[in-house]
Amino acid sequence: MPQPDHIFAFDIPQETDEDIQVVYDKCVDKFGFIPNVLQAYKFNPNKLRHFMAMYNELMLAPSGLSKLEREMVAVVVSSANRCYYCLVAHGQAVRQLSGDPELGEMMVMNYRVAPLSERQRGLLDYAWKLTVTPHLVVDADREELRRLGLDDSQIFDLCDTVAFFNMSNRMAIGTDMMPNKEYHGLNRTPG
């Protein structure tokens, strides 16, 4: 049974501000489609601008966390929250960045079965705990990250990424946002 055809639970405004249309055009040039999250946020163009700025800063700007690590965190948070949109979209990003379609699937289903480095496992264990039981995060958890070689700036980036995807998961779930169907077929063979 295919996923529903809607983008999300509300009607999307037809008008597009000029600066946002430029972003949409770049997406079509780069990916061949406009990610549904960007279309859904068209509901409030100013929030879309802030969302894109925050996403770009977290996921694309220089960081002590690699792009793959940040995408893995997005998948683990989304797995804990059972966010269909983000599991599909960020699972595809893990497949693309790692060149390993099996890793992408393991990350979506259960990151604990994936062949990860000690650092990656530590990052993802922390992301899971901060998502599922944030009230149990203590200094010992941050100390473990330091033992794995993370400095305070990297721990901050990790927390920021976990927090962002918890927020975006709740928006996607709350608005019944569907991933672009194109994501399902991308990067399914080893790179």
Side-chain angles (χ1 to χ4, degrees):
M1 172 187 295
Q3 74 181 25
D5 284 328
H6 65 270
I7 291 175
F8 83 145
F10 311 113
D11 292 332
I12 297 174
Q14 295 304 305
E15 308 83 41
T16 305
D17 292 356
E18 210 172 289
D19 63 319
I20 293 171
Q21 187 60 52
V22 169
V23 171
Y24 287 175
D25 293 342
K26 285 181 184 177
C27 289
V28 170
D29 289 344
K30 184 175 180 179
F31 308 120
F33 59 90
I34 303 165
N36 284 347
V37 67
L38 300 183
Q39 292 191 71
Y41 262 93
K42 187 175 167 183
F43 203 70
N44 185 317
N46 199 42
K47 286 184 181 179
L48 174 55
R49 290 178 188 94
H50 291 291
F51 179 86
M52 290 186 303
M54 184 69 167
Y55 176 88
N56 290 340
E57 181 64 29
L58 283 172
M59 301 302 284
L60 303 175
S63 169
L65 304 178
S66 72
K67 289 180 183 181
L68 176 58
E69 287 172 334
R70 288 176 273 180
E71 288 293 349
M72 292 168 98
V73 167
V75 173
V76 165
V77 169
S78 301
S79 180
N81 289 323
R82 298 181 182 98
C83 179
Y84 177 57
Y85 183 97
C86 290
L87 283 169
V88 171
H90 296 284
Q92 181 274 321
V94 168
R95 293 192 306 270
Q96 178 184 21
L97 291 168
S98 69
D100 184 348
E102 291 178 16
L103 177 62
E105 294 307 304
M106 286 184 268
M107 296 300 303
V108 165
M109 297 304 294
N110 179 2
Y111 76 94
R112 292 173 186 92
V113 302
L116 302 171
S117 69
E118 184 181 16
R119 173 190 163 100
Q120 290 169 333
R121 187 159 313 278
L123 289 169
L124 301 179
D125 287 344
Y126 184 84
W128 184 272
K129 185 174 185 178
L130 186 55
T131 297
V132 176
T133 54
H135 60 284
L136 297 180
V137 172
V138 294
D139 283 340
D141 298 303
R142 289 178 286 277
E143 283 305 315
E144 175 60 12
L145 292 171
R146 288 184 186 101
R147 187 190 70 74
L148 294 171
L150 278 76
D151 62 25
D152 289 350
S153 174
Q154 293 166 319
I155 295 170
F156 182 88
D157 285 355
L158 175 59
C159 292
D160 210 10
T161 304
V162 170
F164 178 83
F165 283 101
N166 272 289
M167 181 277 297
S168 62
N169 286 176
R170 280 151 181 77
M171 278 299 292
I173 293 166
T175 62
D176 196 27
M177 196 179 300
M178 291 292 124
N180 299 72
K181 291 183 181 185
E182 293 89 343
Y183 285 125
H184 295 289
L186 296 174
N187 309 105
R188 291 289 179 183
T189 56

